[in-house]
Amino acid sequence: MPTSAYEPQTVFVYVGRVSVEKNLACLADAFTELCARGRAVHLVVVGDGPFRADMERRTSGLPVTYCGFLGGDELPTAIASAHAKVFPSTTDTWGNAPLEAMASGLPVIVTDQGGPQEFVEHGVQGLHVRGRSVSSLVAAMEQLLDPELRAKMGQA
């Protein structure tokens, strides 16, 4: 479905180390698929690391902003300026970034592997996706294009 000129853009944010073990290839592929479907989306990547050049290559030409490291007031402002947080890692044992996003009133997408699934209740504060599944991540991101669902989850 093509993007309407009047369809509001949904901003997804990733905050963390930009590295292979964070499953960011899956995020890049999922975001590419959303764009190919004509969705009005933007991805903001906060952080840096060894996978950044590859991720930039994978998302070249797409509406993605790479901020690098942010600190002070800039970090919480960047998080709170988004509509939803994506945390595709399958290896994190805890994950402060999803908690920071939840504290900012954002719904969070996490995988069904690792620690964050334990504090993000599926369908309440966010969504769980199958680890390393591009199609599962695309489906969750599409669900969060709904502003009413985002607001409900963000409030929870």
Side-chain angles (χ1 to χ4, degrees):
M1 159 180 182
T3 301
S4 158
Y6 301 103
E7 183 180 356
Q9 188 176 61
T10 301
V11 178
F12 292 94
V13 65
Y14 167 80
V15 178
R17 181 168 163 76
V18 182
S19 57
V20 172
E21 69 272 9
K22 298 295 187 174
N23 198 26
L24 296 178
C26 184
L27 175 57
D29 292 347
F31 188 76
T32 299
E33 177 61 28
L34 281 177
C35 291
R37 293 181 183 188
R39 299 301 194 187
V41 291
H42 191 100
L43 176 63
V44 176
V45 177
V46 178
D48 210 342
F51 190 67
R52 180 172 171 171
D54 191 41
M55 191 162 178
E56 286 180 342
R57 181 188 54 74
R58 287 170 175 262
T59 59
S60 178
L62 299 177
V64 181
T65 302
Y66 291 89
C67 299
F69 291 109
L70 297 178
D73 291 338
E74 291 179 321
L75 179 58
T77 298
I79 294 168
S81 297
H83 295 108
K85 164 82 168 118
V86 183
F87 194 73
S89 176
T90 59
T91 59
D92 279 70
T93 57
W94 182 248
N96 284 332
L99 289 170
E100 292 166 345
M102 290 166 63
S104 296
L106 298 186
V108 180
I109 299 172
V110 298
T111 67
D112 60 0
Q113 299 172 31
Q117 68 170 323
E118 294 179 16
F119 58 80
V120 176
E121 193 174 352
H122 181 74
V124 179
Q125 301 98 345
L127 300 169
H128 294 181
V129 298
R130 287 185 314 278
R132 304 201 184 285
S133 171
V134 172
S135 62
S136 182
L137 185 53
V138 169
M141 292 173 83
E142 282 193 312
Q143 275 188 269
L144 292 182
L145 296 179
D146 178 352
E148 290 178 18
L149 180 61
R150 287 194 314 263
K152 178 182 169 191
M153 288 181 171
Q155 192 164 19

